[in-house]
Amino acid sequence: MTDFIPPAKPIIGAEERAAVDRVLRSGMLAQGPEVKAFEEEFSAHFGLGRACVAANSGTSGLHLGLLSSGVKAGDEVIVPSFTFAATCNSVALTGATPVFADIDADDFNLSPAAIEASITERTVGIMPVHLYGHPAKMDRIMVIADRHGIQVFEDAAQAHGASLNGTPVGAFGSFAMFSLYPTKNMTSGEGGMVSAATPEIERLMRLYRNQGMERQYHNEVVGFNARMTDIHAAIGREQLKKVGGWTAQRQANAAFLSANLTGVTTPPVAEGAVHVYHQYTVRVPEDRDGFAAALREEYNVGSGMFYPVPNHQLAPFRVDVDLPETARAAAECLSLPVHPSLSQGDLERIVTAVNALAAAGA
Ligand SMILES: *Cc1c(COP(=O)(O)O)cnc(C)c1O
């Protein structure tokens, strides 16, 4: 039997190990100079043109960003239901209500028309997710937000380096969060990086991250310990030097798959969009689950379903709304391996397997 092709594979090299060793030998492990350098290098690398604040996870980063943007109990924030639960959890943890809007079929991202239809007098913000690494329709979402006087919060957890019409994701909203979880396009072990549109949002995020203190024992607000360690930052700084090459490889892998797959719907890229392929997600209209099982059992090819249960059907969020494109995507989506460790032989095996299964099912 051929080797299993995993759906994701974090790449950790000698540079990351040496960086961790450097921090361990320094004896200073908690948030310090490595975190500060990582924040500055991250912003510069992705051309965000704004300050970044590191957190101990992406989810913490979303929570810090929402609190610092003034989101509170009684407010509503429009979110996709077709996303990872962290998007909705972070809104709910502020006391605000996540309001689920449908997605568009083309990019799996929030539909501008559905956003408009979901706005009420309690809506304070829209939180688009740049799902799979494809930018949400930010040009239209920013116009809607301006017209209604509400904010935009970006969940860029999966989209390091993505852009729309030359503007990087992470430079649109009041804040934007990039996750550094191991399966994301780059990692720090666990972690999140949050860009801030204003010095005040940046300052508040730093306060909430550290018990509400900017100066020690001069607490201003009720805060968390959501600090990143220097150990994790040191890993992230090394990954930052490599993520550009990995993204180019993801894009090349995706181009090969899109050119050669038949019988499944390959992911389109919008005009003006740079897709960084955190996931390469096809639609399998008939018996997606059986298709995934056969890929694994007959061809030893891994795959993922992101996400088979929409958030509005999860116990903490259950509401009776009709989101037809969300339901269809949850039933049809299948993410194939696209990570930068794939060999040409792996890519060919994926194509052979998918095309054979699609032909057999048709
Ligand atoms: C991974 C992810 C998060 C949360 O990030 P963590 O670093 O795992 O806390 C939030 N939103 C989306 C869309 C994600 O994929």
Side-chain angles (χ1 to χ4, degrees):
M1 187 76 168
T2 47
D3 288 342
F4 178 60
I5 303 179
K9 190 173 178 194
I11 307 175
I12 301 291
E15 299 80 7
E16 283 85 341
R17 286 192 291 275
V20 168
D21 196 49
R22 179 180 75 228
V23 175
L24 293 178
R25 284 171 194 282
S26 80
M28 309 232 306
L29 311 186
Q31 181 183 293
E34 294 281 344
V35 170
K36 183 170 189 297
F38 187 30
E39 290 175 342
E40 290 166 6
E41 288 163 6
F42 190 97
S43 176
H45 180 88
F46 292 111
L48 300 179
R50 39 167 83 180
C52 283
V53 176
N56 59 357
S57 77
T59 308
S60 295
L62 287 176
H63 196 186
L64 297 177
L66 288 164
L67 291 173
S68 303
S69 302
V71 176
K72 58 185 189 315
D75 293 342
E76 291 178 357
V77 176
I78 297 171
V79 296
S81 175
F82 192 60
T83 180
F84 184 52
T87 313
C88 319
N89 277 337
S90 63
V91 172
L93 285 169
T94 68
T97 304
V99 172
F100 298 108
D102 210 358
I103 55 170
D104 281 333
D106 53 1
D107 60 4
F108 297 98
N109 283 326
L110 270 182
S111 150
I115 291 170
E116 292 251 37
S118 303
I119 292 174
T120 73
E121 68 280 359
R122 289 167 60 196
T123 308
V124 298
I126 308 163
M127 186 139 83
V129 179
H130 307 296
L131 199 71
Y132 305 144
H134 189 292
K137 296 184 174 75
M138 296 311 292
D139 42 357
R140 294 168 62 190
I141 291 171
M142 297 310 288
V143 170
I144 293 169
D146 276 354
R147 193 162 58 233
H148 292 273
I150 59 182
Q151 300 186 75
V152 173
F153 315 124
E154 297 178 71
D155 183 338
Q158 305 183 355
H160 318 62
S163 63
L164 186 63
N165 301 323
T167 301
V169 307
F172 290 95
S174 298
F175 74 85
M177 181 283 289
F178 298 85
S179 170
L180 300 166
Y181 184 73
T183 59
K184 300 292 160 74
N185 288 26
M186 61 175 283
T187 186
S188 60
E190 289 266 13
M193 191 63 84
V194 194
S195 70
T198 68
E200 182 60 7
I201 292 173
E202 178 198 355
R203 193 183 87 84
L204 288 171
M205 289 202 292
R206 294 189 189 283
L207 278 182
Y208 284 119
R209 177 176 68 176
N210 186 34
Q211 312 285 3
M213 299 187 292
E214 192 169 18
R215 273 177 49 218
Q216 198 155 28
Y217 309 129
H218 288 72
N219 302 51
E220 298 178 45
V221 296
V222 177
F224 304 94
N225 174 357
R227 299 184 303 260
M228 178 180 277
T229 72
D230 263 16
I231 304 169
H232 293 89
I235 298 171
R237 292 180 70 194
E238 294 303 326
Q239 295 260 310
L240 207 47
K241 297 174 190 163
K242 305 176 184 180
V243 67
W246 291 335
T247 298
Q249 190 61 53
R250 286 177 181 275
Q251 291 164 334
N253 293 347
F256 181 85
L257 293 173
S258 288
N260 290 287
L261 292 177
T262 52
V264 294
T265 309
T266 58
V269 181
E271 172 106 27
V274 171
H275 192 334
V276 295
Y277 293 102
H278 169 59
Q279 300 293 346
Y280 179 89
T281 303
V282 301
R283 287 178 184 268
V284 183
E286 299 292 330
D287 187 23
R288 181 267 324 266
D289 294 9
F291 194 101
L295 262 185
R296 176 77 175 82
E297 284 152 25
E298 294 170 32
Y299 296 92
N300 222 7
V301 172
S303 62
M305 294 165 199
F306 310 104
Y307 298 88
V309 184
N311 283 272
H312 74 281
Q313 291 168 355
L314 296 176
F317 303 115
R318 192 163 289 138
V319 283
D320 186 17
V321 285
D322 188 26
L323 305 175
E325 287 301 338
T326 296
R328 194 163 72 87
E332 296 181 352
C333 67
L334 187 68
S335 296
L336 302 173
V338 74
H339 54 83
S341 303
L342 296 173
S343 66
Q344 183 60 29
D346 292 338
L347 288 164
E348 283 164 14
R349 256 175 68 203
I350 295 165
V351 167
T352 302
V354 169
N355 290 357
L357 289 172

